[in-house]
Amino acid sequence: MATLAFVLVDVTGDHTKSAYKTITRMAGVKSVYAVTGAHDLIILVETESIETLGDLILSKIRSIDGVTKTMTNIVLNI
């Protein structure tokens, strides 16, 4: 069963646009939104497992230049 989650991302300085572009090209990313409020980007992701989700967040999203913090909200029901 697929894992669906919203990932809230904080980005430092003027890196939001480049982070947005990088994230939109990642496998598993369904949509990315630049938003106002406490976070800079909200990402909807769908992965094949929790392990794949963890890899996407820890190895890929958090390694993007300017990304300072992520908060992941796993969808419990669809």
Side-chain angles (χ1 to χ4, degrees):
M1 176 184 270
T3 301
L4 193 62
F6 290 95
V7 182
L8 311 174
V9 181
D10 295 350
V11 183
T12 183
D14 61 349
H15 294 279
T16 303
K17 194 172 196 176
S18 61
Y20 176 95
K21 288 180 181 180
T22 300
I23 292 167
T24 59
R25 294 188 297 263
M26 292 182 173
V29 171
K30 295 297 192 183
S31 55
V32 183
Y33 303 96
V35 296
T36 61
H39 306 283
D40 300 301
L41 300 171
I42 296 177
I43 309 165
L44 175 61
V45 298
E46 184 175 4
T47 61
E48 60 190 44
S49 66
I50 290 288
E51 291 79 16
T52 308
L53 175 63
D55 183 58
L56 175 63
I57 295 165
L58 298 174
S59 299
K60 296 181 177 79
I61 294 173
R62 287 190 181 177
S63 69
I64 296 171
D65 192 35
V67 170
T68 59
K69 182 179 176 184
T70 61
M71 182 187 327
T72 304
N73 297 277
I74 297 172
V75 174
L76 299 177
N77 62 351
I78 299 175

